[in-house]
Amino acid sequence: MASSQTTFTDEARIALDTLSGRASGLFSPSMRLGVTGLSRAGKTVFISALVHNLIHGGRLPLFEAQKSGRIARAFLEEQPDDAVPRFQYEDHIAALVNDRVWPDSTRAISELRLTIEYESASGWSRMFSSGKLSVDIVDYPGEWLLDLPLLGKSFADFSREAIEMAALPVREDLSRAWRAISAEIDPNADADEMTARRLAESFAAYLKACKLDERALSTLPPGRFLMPGDLEGSPALTFAPLAGLGDRRPRSGSLHAMMERRYEAYKTHVVKPFFREHITRLDRQIVLIDAMQALNAGPGAMADLERAVTEILACFRPGRGSFLTDLFSRRIDRILVAATKADHLHHESHDRLQAIVRRLADRAVARANFTGADVDVVAMAAVRATREGTVKQGRETLPVIIGTPIAGEKINGETFDGKTETAIFPGDLPEKIDAVFDVSGPDHRQDSADPAIRFVRFRPPKLERTAEGVTLSLPHIRLDRALQFLIGDHLA
C-alpha cells in the first residue's frame, strides 16, 4: 500500500517525523493507539470507558497490570499535538454518567494522552524502565479510512467501481436517481459548474441514503461527502463518478477533465495528509464494528460491511520491523477487531458474534498475519447497558437481556418511552454464520414480516454508588481483554 499511497517525498517526511518521535520517546516512553470504526460503532464510548476505568480503578480482571496491583495511578496529561482537537473526555463522561445518554459520534479526528505509572513485573525491567507510559489515543472516523484506497486508483477506476457497486441489488433503488442523471451526461461535453454540482449533490444524496438504518451500508467513499466539515461546497467535494469513461484520456476543458482534476485534488489535499500525518504514526490499532446494525438490515448489509472491513484493515501498515527500520518507520504490530454492543445479546451468543466478526475480517487478518502483526478478534461492550435474566414462556425458559430502551425504539409494534426498563429476547444468532452473509437467501431486514433477529438500542446504565457516595466505574464486557491485548505488554 505504501508505494501507491505515498511518494518518495512523503516517505522522507514520515521517516523524519518517526525519528524525531523515537528520540523523544527515549526519555518519555509513549505509544500511539488508533481507535476507529464506522459511524455508531462506539469509538467515543470505547475511549471514554477505557480512560474512566483506568483512572477510577475499575474492575478489569483480565488486564494483568491492574489485576496484580502494579498500576500506581493513571491520569490525563496535555496531548503532544497542539494542532489536533482534544478528545472531550469530561463532556462524554458527563453525558454517560449524569444524563444517561450516549455521547455524540466522532465527526473528526481528536486526541487524548493518558499516562500510566506502574511497577514492572520484572526486576530487570525495573532497573531500566521509568515505570511510566503515555498512551496517545487517536480517535478518527472509519469513513475517512475508506478513502485511503482511492490513493491507488485513477478517476476511471473509481468511477467504474462506484457504478458497479451502485447497481448491486441492495443499492440499486437508492442510486437510481443519481444513475439516471449520470446516464444523461456526456463526459466529453464542455465543463459546466452547475452540471458538476448537480451530479455531486445527487451522488452525495445516494451515499447518505445508504447509511440510514434501513440499509446500514458501510462502503461509502468518498468519506468527506458524508462528513464535509469546512470543505462543504469546495471544488474538492464537487465531483462524482462518470459512466462510460473507458481508458481514454479526457479532452482538455471537458467535464471529464474537470471531474478528474477535482478527484485528484481530493486525494492530494484531503486523503494524503490524513494518511501521512496520522495513520503512519500509529503503533497499535483497534477497529470497532457494529455488526448488530448490519444484522438488523440483512445479508446485503453484512456483505457490504465485510467489504468495508477488508478495505479498512488493508489501509494500515501492519508488521514488525528491526531496530534499525523502526527508527525511521512505524508499523502497527497489534490490531484488534472488536464487535461492539455485545450487551445487546445474551452471553450464549457472544461466541457466534465473535465468529461473525472473524469472518468479516478473515481476508484482511490473513494479510496482516503474513506481515508479522498480531491480530485478535473480540466481542465486547465498552459500556454494558443491560443485564441478563430469564423469562418463562409456556414450558420454555428464554434467556433475555434487561435494560432501558432508548425513547422511540420499536419492537413487535411497541414503542419505548426511554424510561421503562424492559426484558427483551433479541433472538439467537445462527449457528452457521454463512447464513447472515447469504445475499441469495431470504431477506431478514428489520422491516420484514418476521425478522429472525432484532436488536434495539438501550440507554447507558445507572451507575451504583458506594456507601461513601463514590460512583463506581462504568460496567463493561471484555474491555479488560481489549486493554490487555493493546497495551498489556508495554506494562509487563
Side-chain angles (χ1 to χ4, degrees), residues 20-48:
S20 174
R22 298 298 191 204
S24 62
L26 291 175
F27 304 99
S28 180
S30 67
M31 62 165 287
R32 294 181 69 83
L33 171 63
V35 180
T36 196
L38 301 173
S39 64
R40 294 202 293 190
K43 298 179 292 295
T44 302
V45 173
F46 172 80
I47 296 171
S48 301

Side-chain angles (χ1 to χ4, degrees), residues 470-489:
V470 177
T471 302
L472 299 179
S473 57
L474 289 163
H476 62 87
I477 298 175
R478 301 188 189 93
L479 176 64
D480 48 349
R481 178 177 157 186
L483 274 168
Q484 180 63 26
F485 179 79
L486 291 169
I487 67 172
D489 60 319

Side-chain angles (χ1 to χ4, degrees), residues 416-437:
F416 297 102
D417 60 8
K419 301 176 182 178
T420 306
E421 191 173 72
T422 308
I424 294 173
F425 174 64
D428 293 321
L429 295 179
E431 289 185 32
K432 297 182 178 179
I433 63 172
D434 286 347
V436 302
F437 296 93

Side-chain angles (χ1 to χ4, degrees), residues 357-465:
V357 176
R358 172 67 68 181
R359 158 69 187 272
L360 280 170
D362 256 350
R363 285 179 290 174
V365 165
R367 175 187 178 276
N369 282 337
F370 180 77
T371 60
D374 291 330
V375 182
D376 200 4
V377 173
V378 65
M380 65 172 290
V383 172
R384 182 172 190 162
T386 67
R387 63 185 190 277
E388 295 187 351
T390 58
V391 297
K392 285 279 189 180
Q393 192 172 71
R395 296 182 178 180
E396 192 175 7
T397 300
L398 296 177
V400 296
I401 54 174
I402 303 167
T404 306
I406 291 174
E409 286 290 290
K410 298 178 181 179
I411 189 169
N412 296 331
E414 180 182 0
T415 301
F416 297 102
D417 60 8
K419 301 176 182 178
T420 306
E421 191 173 72
T422 308
I424 294 173
F425 174 64
D428 293 321
L429 295 179
E431 289 185 32
K432 297 182 178 179
I433 63 172
D434 286 347
V436 302
F437 296 93
D438 185 7
V439 294
S440 63
D443 187 356
H444 295 302
R445 286 182 304 179
Q446 64 186 51
D447 56 354
S448 62
D450 185 24
I453 308 166
R454 181 65 180 104
F455 304 108
V456 298
R457 292 173 293 175
F458 294 89
R459 291 184 65 189
K462 184 177 181 179
L463 295 192
E464 298 178 4
R465 293 179 180 269

Side-chain angles (χ1 to χ4, degrees), residues 43-95:
K43 298 179 292 295
T44 302
V45 173
F46 172 80
I47 296 171
S48 301
L50 181 156
V51 174
H52 191 264
N53 272 278
L54 285 176
I55 289 178
H56 293 278
R59 186 173 178 272
L60 302 166
L62 296 182
F63 184 41
E64 195 279 329
Q66 178 89 319
K67 179 184 177 182
S68 61
R70 294 190 294 102
I71 292 181
R73 66 168 180 147
F75 56 96
L76 295 176
E77 287 193 288
E78 283 190 52
Q79 66 194 57
D81 300 307
D82 293 333
V84 178
R86 182 181 183 271
F87 179 87
Q88 297 301 329
Y89 163 76
E90 295 82 4
D91 294 344
H92 300 323
I93 286 296

